[in-house]
Amino acid sequence: MKRLGVDIDSETLRLALTHRSYAYEHGGIPTNERLEFLGDSVLGFSVTEYLYARYPDLPEGDLAKRRAAVVSTRALARVARELSLGQFVYLGQGEKLTNGADKSSILADTTEALIGATFLSQGIDVAKDLVLRLMAPLIDEVENLGAGIDWKTAIQEIAAARKLGQIQYVVEGSGPDHARVFVATLTIGGTAYGTGTGPSKKEAEQEAAASSWHLLNPDAAASAQS
């Protein structure tokens, strides 16, 4: 796939881009979920190995926090949006009508499936290289943002330091039980800030906290991306 800079055979590539909503509407054909499962493992291993070598003095807990931030739904969806992957995903009509091509959970899952497809087509070395090319900028950003590694904690610290008021997450879920999508809105002192989506309330809240952190710290966020 040219956007990824890797060669994936056409059959495996199509499978990696096939969301379950499309598969259901087309007679129950295979979905990208098994490739997503495989890609998640390759992603986790590649990032873990990179962090272990790059930060020889960091304790396990700090390494785990950095890894969690880099492999989060928000981070993977961001990578997918930068590559405009959403336009290539095979979606059912229901997901198309609800802008599924830009849902963070679908984009993150597709990114993992493509990593899994790369592993099957080209092997572990090429797959690891892909992961690092995609995720290295985010690893640098996590390092520069510091406290932003744990977004909800970072928001608590900002709200307390600036005396912004009480923090509240308003979370709404939609979709069937097997494919729930949650949308969280973060309010501080009654003012709405960032929103986030995810396959669980926890992930949606983390994404909302991350989005809010960037709104409250535009200079630091811009510096991290420069």
PDB file of all heavy atoms in Angstrom, residues 48-76:
ATOM      1  N   THR A  48       7.358  -1.515  22.535  1.00  0.00           N
ATOM      2  CA  THR A  48       8.018  -1.901  23.782  1.00  0.00           C
ATOM      3  C   THR A  48       9.523  -2.055  23.586  1.00  0.00           C
ATOM      4  O   THR A  48      10.321  -1.552  24.390  1.00  0.00           O
ATOM      5  CB  THR A  48       7.433  -3.229  24.306  1.00  0.00           C
ATOM      6  OG1 THR A  48       6.037  -3.055  24.564  1.00  0.00           O
ATOM      7  CG2 THR A  48       8.126  -3.666  25.588  1.00  0.00           C
ATOM      8  N   GLU A  49       9.917  -2.740  22.521  1.00  0.00           N
ATOM      9  CA  GLU A  49      11.338  -2.938  22.241  1.00  0.00           C
ATOM     10  C   GLU A  49      12.034  -1.599  22.017  1.00  0.00           C
ATOM     11  O   GLU A  49      13.150  -1.370  22.516  1.00  0.00           O
ATOM     12  CB  GLU A  49      11.499  -3.829  21.011  1.00  0.00           C
ATOM     13  CG  GLU A  49      12.956  -4.150  20.670  1.00  0.00           C
ATOM     14  CD  GLU A  49      13.084  -4.974  19.407  1.00  0.00           C
ATOM     15  OE1 GLU A  49      12.460  -4.590  18.384  1.00  0.00           O
ATOM     16  OE2 GLU A  49      13.795  -5.996  19.440  1.00  0.00           O
ATOM     17  N   TYR A  50      11.373  -0.699  21.286  1.00  0.00           N
ATOM     18  CA  TYR A  50      11.947   0.614  21.002  1.00  0.00           C
ATOM     19  C   TYR A  50      12.130   1.421  22.288  1.00  0.00           C
ATOM     20  O   TYR A  50      13.188   2.019  22.516  1.00  0.00           O
ATOM     21  CB  TYR A  50      11.034   1.358  20.031  1.00  0.00           C
ATOM     22  CG  TYR A  50      11.508   2.753  19.680  1.00  0.00           C
ATOM     23  CD1 TYR A  50      12.446   2.952  18.670  1.00  0.00           C
ATOM     24  CD2 TYR A  50      11.005   3.860  20.342  1.00  0.00           C
ATOM     25  CE1 TYR A  50      12.882   4.230  18.338  1.00  0.00           C
ATOM     26  CE2 TYR A  50      11.436   5.144  20.027  1.00  0.00           C
ATOM     27  CZ  TYR A  50      12.376   5.316  19.029  1.00  0.00           C
ATOM     28  OH  TYR A  50      12.812   6.588  18.711  1.00  0.00           O
ATOM     29  N   LEU A  51      11.104   1.446  23.120  1.00  0.00           N
ATOM     30  CA  LEU A  51      11.175   2.206  24.375  1.00  0.00           C
ATOM     31  C   LEU A  51      12.231   1.621  25.305  1.00  0.00           C
ATOM     32  O   LEU A  51      12.958   2.368  25.984  1.00  0.00           O
ATOM     33  CB  LEU A  51       9.811   2.211  25.062  1.00  0.00           C
ATOM     34  CG  LEU A  51       8.701   2.997  24.357  1.00  0.00           C
ATOM     35  CD1 LEU A  51       7.370   2.781  25.072  1.00  0.00           C
ATOM     36  CD2 LEU A  51       9.029   4.488  24.313  1.00  0.00           C
ATOM     37  N   TYR A  52      12.319   0.308  25.367  1.00  0.00           N
ATOM     38  CA  TYR A  52      13.295  -0.355  26.228  1.00  0.00           C
ATOM     39  C   TYR A  52      14.719   0.068  25.851  1.00  0.00           C
ATOM     40  O   TYR A  52      15.559   0.330  26.719  1.00  0.00           O
ATOM     41  CB  TYR A  52      13.145  -1.864  26.124  1.00  0.00           C
ATOM     42  CG  TYR A  52      14.058  -2.643  27.040  1.00  0.00           C
ATOM     43  CD1 TYR A  52      13.686  -2.908  28.358  1.00  0.00           C
ATOM     44  CD2 TYR A  52      15.286  -3.112  26.588  1.00  0.00           C
ATOM     45  CE1 TYR A  52      14.528  -3.616  29.211  1.00  0.00           C
ATOM     46  CE2 TYR A  52      16.139  -3.822  27.426  1.00  0.00           C
ATOM     47  CZ  TYR A  52      15.746  -4.072  28.735  1.00  0.00           C
ATOM     48  OH  TYR A  52      16.588  -4.773  29.575  1.00  0.00           O
ATOM     49  N   ALA A  53      14.997   0.121  24.548  1.00  0.00           N
ATOM     50  CA  ALA A  53      16.332   0.491  24.096  1.00  0.00           C
ATOM     51  C   ALA A  53      16.587   1.991  24.211  1.00  0.00           C
ATOM     52  O   ALA A  53      17.693   2.418  24.551  1.00  0.00           O
ATOM     53  CB  ALA A  53      16.528   0.044  22.643  1.00  0.00           C
ATOM     54  N   ARG A  54      15.574   2.788  23.972  1.00  0.00           N
ATOM     55  CA  ARG A  54      15.756   4.245  23.959  1.00  0.00           C
ATOM     56  C   ARG A  54      15.887   4.825  25.358  1.00  0.00           C
ATOM     57  O   ARG A  54      16.610   5.812  25.558  1.00  0.00           O
ATOM     58  CB  ARG A  54      14.580   4.904  23.237  1.00  0.00           C
ATOM     59  CG  ARG A  54      14.658   6.426  23.224  1.00  0.00           C
ATOM     60  CD  ARG A  54      13.714   7.027  22.236  1.00  0.00           C
ATOM     61  NE  ARG A  54      13.722   8.486  22.313  1.00  0.00           N
ATOM     62  CZ  ARG A  54      13.151   9.285  21.422  1.00  0.00           C
ATOM     63  NH1 ARG A  54      12.540   8.754  20.375  1.00  0.00           N
ATOM     64  NH2 ARG A  54      13.185  10.590  21.551  1.00  0.00           N
ATOM     65  N   TYR A  55      15.196   4.246  26.316  1.00  0.00           N
ATOM     66  CA  TYR A  55      15.204   4.789  27.684  1.00  0.00           C
ATOM     67  C   TYR A  55      15.736   3.742  28.657  1.00  0.00           C
ATOM     68  O   TYR A  55      14.973   3.144  29.424  1.00  0.00           O
ATOM     69  CB  TYR A  55      13.793   5.214  28.093  1.00  0.00           C
ATOM     70  CG  TYR A  55      13.167   6.223  27.150  1.00  0.00           C
ATOM     71  CD1 TYR A  55      12.152   5.847  26.260  1.00  0.00           C
ATOM     72  CD2 TYR A  55      13.587   7.544  27.143  1.00  0.00           C
ATOM     73  CE1 TYR A  55      11.583   6.763  25.400  1.00  0.00           C
ATOM     74  CE2 TYR A  55      13.017   8.471  26.278  1.00  0.00           C
ATOM     75  CZ  TYR A  55      12.018   8.080  25.411  1.00  0.00           C
ATOM     76  OH  TYR A  55      11.463   8.995  24.557  1.00  0.00           O
ATOM     77  N   PRO A  56      17.045   3.490  28.659  1.00  0.00           N
ATOM     78  CA  PRO A  56      17.613   2.426  29.497  1.00  0.00           C
ATOM     79  C   PRO A  56      17.488   2.661  30.991  1.00  0.00           C
ATOM     80  O   PRO A  56      17.597   1.722  31.781  1.00  0.00           O
ATOM     81  CB  PRO A  56      19.084   2.392  29.064  1.00  0.00           C
ATOM     82  CG  PRO A  56      19.350   3.756  28.526  1.00  0.00           C
ATOM     83  CD  PRO A  56      18.079   4.170  27.856  1.00  0.00           C
ATOM     84  N   ASP A  57      17.240   3.901  31.399  1.00  0.00           N
ATOM     85  CA  ASP A  57      17.186   4.213  32.824  1.00  0.00           C
ATOM     86  C   ASP A  57      15.771   4.371  33.366  1.00  0.00           C
ATOM     87  O   ASP A  57      15.580   4.569  34.569  1.00  0.00           O
ATOM     88  CB  ASP A  57      17.979   5.501  33.110  1.00  0.00           C
ATOM     89  CG  ASP A  57      19.453   5.367  32.761  1.00  0.00           C
ATOM     90  OD1 ASP A  57      19.999   4.256  32.980  1.00  0.00           O
ATOM     91  OD2 ASP A  57      20.039   6.336  32.260  1.00  0.00           O
ATOM     92  N   LEU A  58      14.757   4.312  32.485  1.00  0.00           N
ATOM     93  CA  LEU A  58      13.380   4.485  32.949  1.00  0.00           C
ATOM     94  C   LEU A  58      12.872   3.216  33.621  1.00  0.00           C
ATOM     95  O   LEU A  58      13.088   2.113  33.107  1.00  0.00           O
ATOM     96  CB  LEU A  58      12.454   4.824  31.785  1.00  0.00           C
ATOM     97  CG  LEU A  58      12.346   6.280  31.341  1.00  0.00           C
ATOM     98  CD1 LEU A  58      11.275   6.401  30.265  1.00  0.00           C
ATOM     99  CD2 LEU A  58      12.041   7.213  32.497  1.00  0.00           C
ATOM    100  N   PRO A  59      12.168   3.355  34.753  1.00  0.00           N
ATOM    101  CA  PRO A  59      11.583   2.171  35.397  1.00  0.00           C
ATOM    102  C   PRO A  59      10.414   1.623  34.600  1.00  0.00           C
ATOM    103  O   PRO A  59       9.874   2.302  33.719  1.00  0.00           O
ATOM    104  CB  PRO A  59      11.119   2.703  36.757  1.00  0.00           C
ATOM    105  CG  PRO A  59      10.907   4.161  36.554  1.00  0.00           C
ATOM    106  CD  PRO A  59      11.941   4.580  35.538  1.00  0.00           C
ATOM    107  N   GLU A  60      10.015   0.420  34.926  1.00  0.00           N
ATOM    108  CA  GLU A  60       8.954  -0.278  34.193  1.00  0.00           C
ATOM    109  C   GLU A  60       7.670   0.531  34.133  1.00  0.00           C
ATOM    110  O   GLU A  60       6.999   0.581  33.101  1.00  0.00           O
ATOM    111  CB  GLU A  60       8.714  -1.650  34.836  1.00  0.00           C
ATOM    112  CG  GLU A  60       7.624  -2.484  34.169  1.00  0.00           C
ATOM    113  CD  GLU A  60       6.233  -2.232  34.737  1.00  0.00           C
ATOM    114  OE1 GLU A  60       6.160  -1.684  35.850  1.00  0.00           O
ATOM    115  OE2 GLU A  60       5.249  -2.571  34.067  1.00  0.00           O
ATOM    116  N   GLY A  61       7.298   1.162  35.251  1.00  0.00           N
ATOM    117  CA  GLY A  61       6.044   1.908  35.284  1.00  0.00           C
ATOM    118  C   GLY A  61       6.010   3.047  34.285  1.00  0.00           C
ATOM    119  O   GLY A  61       4.996   3.269  33.610  1.00  0.00           O
ATOM    120  N   ASP A  62       7.126   3.776  34.166  1.00  0.00           N
ATOM    121  CA  ASP A  62       7.180   4.889  33.219  1.00  0.00           C
ATOM    122  C   ASP A  62       7.186   4.391  31.778  1.00  0.00           C
ATOM    123  O   ASP A  62       6.587   4.998  30.891  1.00  0.00           O
ATOM    124  CB  ASP A  62       8.426   5.737  33.481  1.00  0.00           C
ATOM    125  CG  ASP A  62       8.320   6.547  34.762  1.00  0.00           C
ATOM    126  OD1 ASP A  62       7.192   6.722  35.248  1.00  0.00           O
ATOM    127  OD2 ASP A  62       9.373   6.986  35.275  1.00  0.00           O
ATOM    128  N   LEU A  63       7.882   3.285  31.539  1.00  0.00           N
ATOM    129  CA  LEU A  63       7.867   2.697  30.197  1.00  0.00           C
ATOM    130  C   LEU A  63       6.450   2.288  29.811  1.00  0.00           C
ATOM    131  O   LEU A  63       6.018   2.490  28.670  1.00  0.00           O
ATOM    132  CB  LEU A  63       8.798   1.487  30.144  1.00  0.00           C
ATOM    133  CG  LEU A  63      10.303   1.764  30.225  1.00  0.00           C
ATOM    134  CD1 LEU A  63      11.062   0.446  30.335  1.00  0.00           C
ATOM    135  CD2 LEU A  63      10.781   2.556  29.020  1.00  0.00           C
ATOM    136  N   ALA A  64       5.727   1.707  30.758  1.00  0.00           N
ATOM    137  CA  ALA A  64       4.363   1.254  30.492  1.00  0.00           C
ATOM    138  C   ALA A  64       3.450   2.428  30.157  1.00  0.00           C
ATOM    139  O   ALA A  64       2.591   2.338  29.266  1.00  0.00           O
ATOM    140  CB  ALA A  64       3.822   0.482  31.689  1.00  0.00           C
ATOM    141  N   LYS A  65       3.627   3.557  30.869  1.00  0.00           N
ATOM    142  CA  LYS A  65       2.804   4.736  30.607  1.00  0.00           C
ATOM    143  C   LYS A  65       3.075   5.290  29.212  1.00  0.00           C
ATOM    144  O   LYS A  65       2.153   5.670  28.488  1.00  0.00           O
ATOM    145  CB  LYS A  65       3.070   5.811  31.655  1.00  0.00           C
ATOM    146  CG  LYS A  65       2.507   5.491  33.033  1.00  0.00           C
ATOM    147  CD  LYS A  65       2.825   6.605  34.007  1.00  0.00           C
ATOM    148  CE  LYS A  65       2.277   6.306  35.396  1.00  0.00           C
ATOM    149  NZ  LYS A  65       2.612   7.383  36.362  1.00  0.00           N
ATOM    150  N   ARG A  66       4.342   5.324  28.840  1.00  0.00           N
ATOM    151  CA  ARG A  66       4.682   5.831  27.513  1.00  0.00           C
ATOM    152  C   ARG A  66       4.116   4.915  26.422  1.00  0.00           C
ATOM    153  O   ARG A  66       3.587   5.380  25.411  1.00  0.00           O
ATOM    154  CB  ARG A  66       6.200   5.959  27.372  1.00  0.00           C
ATOM    155  CG  ARG A  66       6.786   7.084  28.203  1.00  0.00           C
ATOM    156  CD  ARG A  66       8.313   7.084  28.174  1.00  0.00           C
ATOM    157  NE  ARG A  66       8.835   8.064  29.110  1.00  0.00           N
ATOM    158  CZ  ARG A  66       9.179   9.313  28.789  1.00  0.00           C
ATOM    159  NH1 ARG A  66       9.059   9.711  27.546  1.00  0.00           N
ATOM    160  NH2 ARG A  66       9.649  10.139  29.698  1.00  0.00           N
ATOM    161  N   ARG A  67       4.241   3.618  26.641  1.00  0.00           N
ATOM    162  CA  ARG A  67       3.701   2.680  25.652  1.00  0.00           C
ATOM    163  C   ARG A  67       2.193   2.848  25.523  1.00  0.00           C
ATOM    164  O   ARG A  67       1.648   2.872  24.410  1.00  0.00           O
ATOM    165  CB  ARG A  67       4.033   1.245  26.052  1.00  0.00           C
ATOM    166  CG  ARG A  67       3.468   0.197  25.078  1.00  0.00           C
ATOM    167  CD  ARG A  67       3.830  -1.205  25.509  1.00  0.00           C
ATOM    168  NE  ARG A  67       3.303  -1.517  26.825  1.00  0.00           N
ATOM    169  CZ  ARG A  67       3.641  -2.585  27.535  1.00  0.00           C
ATOM    170  NH1 ARG A  67       4.539  -3.433  27.049  1.00  0.00           N
ATOM    171  NH2 ARG A  67       3.114  -2.810  28.721  1.00  0.00           N
ATOM    172  N   ALA A  68       1.500   2.968  26.655  1.00  0.00           N
ATOM    173  CA  ALA A  68       0.046   3.107  26.625  1.00  0.00           C
ATOM    174  C   ALA A  68      -0.379   4.349  25.851  1.00  0.00           C
ATOM    175  O   ALA A  68      -1.374   4.326  25.111  1.00  0.00           O
ATOM    176  CB  ALA A  68      -0.499   3.154  28.054  1.00  0.00           C
ATOM    177  N   ALA A  69       0.366   5.438  26.009  1.00  0.00           N
ATOM    178  CA  ALA A  69       0.022   6.665  25.300  1.00  0.00           C
ATOM    179  C   ALA A  69       0.231   6.518  23.796  1.00  0.00           C
ATOM    180  O   ALA A  69      -0.567   7.002  22.995  1.00  0.00           O
ATOM    181  CB  ALA A  69       0.864   7.825  25.829  1.00  0.00           C
ATOM    182  N   VAL A  70       1.284   5.809  23.402  1.00  0.00           N
ATOM    183  CA  VAL A  70       1.626   5.685  21.980  1.00  0.00           C
ATOM    184  C   VAL A  70       0.701   4.718  21.255  1.00  0.00           C
ATOM    185  O   VAL A  70       0.356   4.938  20.087  1.00  0.00           O
ATOM    186  CB  VAL A  70       3.092   5.245  21.826  1.00  0.00           C
ATOM    187  CG1 VAL A  70       3.426   4.948  20.363  1.00  0.00           C
ATOM    188  CG2 VAL A  70       4.030   6.319  22.361  1.00  0.00           C
ATOM    189  N   VAL A  71       0.254   3.647  21.922  1.00  0.00           N
ATOM    190  CA  VAL A  71      -0.577   2.646  21.253  1.00  0.00           C
ATOM    191  C   VAL A  71      -2.063   2.847  21.548  1.00  0.00           C
ATOM    192  O   VAL A  71      -2.874   1.976  21.267  1.00  0.00           O
ATOM    193  CB  VAL A  71      -0.156   1.207  21.650  1.00  0.00           C
ATOM    194  CG1 VAL A  71       1.313   0.982  21.348  1.00  0.00           C
ATOM    195  CG2 VAL A  71      -0.434   0.933  23.134  1.00  0.00           C
ATOM    196  N   SER A  72      -2.427   4.002  22.083  1.00  0.00           N
ATOM    197  CA  SER A  72      -3.822   4.277  22.424  1.00  0.00           C
ATOM    198  C   SER A  72      -4.683   4.438  21.175  1.00  0.00           C
ATOM    199  O   SER A  72      -4.170   4.671  20.065  1.00  0.00           O
ATOM    200  CB  SER A  72      -3.921   5.546  23.264  1.00  0.00           C
ATOM    201  OG  SER A  72      -3.555   6.682  22.487  1.00  0.00           O
ATOM    202  N   THR A  73      -5.979   4.331  21.361  1.00  0.00           N
ATOM    203  CA  THR A  73      -6.915   4.546  20.253  1.00  0.00           C
ATOM    204  C   THR A  73      -6.718   5.921  19.648  1.00  0.00           C
ATOM    205  O   THR A  73      -6.721   6.088  18.420  1.00  0.00           O
ATOM    206  CB  THR A  73      -8.364   4.389  20.745  1.00  0.00           C
ATOM    207  OG1 THR A  73      -8.572   3.042  21.178  1.00  0.00           O
ATOM    208  CG2 THR A  73      -9.370   4.725  19.644  1.00  0.00           C
ATOM    209  N   ARG A  74      -6.540   6.919  20.486  1.00  0.00           N
ATOM    210  CA  ARG A  74      -6.374   8.290  19.999  1.00  0.00           C
ATOM    211  C   ARG A  74      -5.135   8.412  19.118  1.00  0.00           C
ATOM    212  O   ARG A  74      -5.166   9.031  18.052  1.00  0.00           O
ATOM    213  CB  ARG A  74      -6.271   9.263  21.176  1.00  0.00           C
ATOM    214  CG  ARG A  74      -6.072  10.713  20.745  1.00  0.00           C
ATOM    215  CD  ARG A  74      -5.999  11.642  21.939  1.00  0.00           C
ATOM    216  NE  ARG A  74      -5.871  13.010  21.487  1.00  0.00           N
ATOM    217  CZ  ARG A  74      -4.724  13.609  21.200  1.00  0.00           C
ATOM    218  NH1 ARG A  74      -3.593  12.941  21.321  1.00  0.00           N
ATOM    219  NH2 ARG A  74      -4.690  14.867  20.792  1.00  0.00           N
ATOM    220  N   ALA A  75      -4.022   7.837  19.569  1.00  0.00           N
ATOM    221  CA  ALA A  75      -2.773   7.934  18.811  1.00  0.00           C
ATOM    222  C   ALA A  75      -2.885   7.223  17.469  1.00  0.00           C
ATOM    223  O   ALA A  75      -2.478   7.755  16.428  1.00  0.00           O
ATOM    224  CB  ALA A  75      -1.622   7.357  19.630  1.00  0.00           C
ATOM    225  N   LEU A  76      -3.447   6.014  17.479  1.00  0.00           N
ATOM    226  CA  LEU A  76      -3.584   5.250  16.234  1.00  0.00           C
ATOM    227  C   LEU A  76      -4.543   5.936  15.264  1.00  0.00           C
ATOM    228  O   LEU A  76      -4.308   5.948  14.049  1.00  0.00           O
ATOM    229  CB  LEU A  76      -4.067   3.841  16.550  1.00  0.00           C
ATOM    230  CG  LEU A  76      -3.058   2.947  17.280  1.00  0.00           C
ATOM    231  CD1 LEU A  76      -3.745   1.695  17.798  1.00  0.00           C
ATOM    232  CD2 LEU A  76      -1.903   2.580  16.354  1.00  0.00           C
TER     233      LEU A  76
END
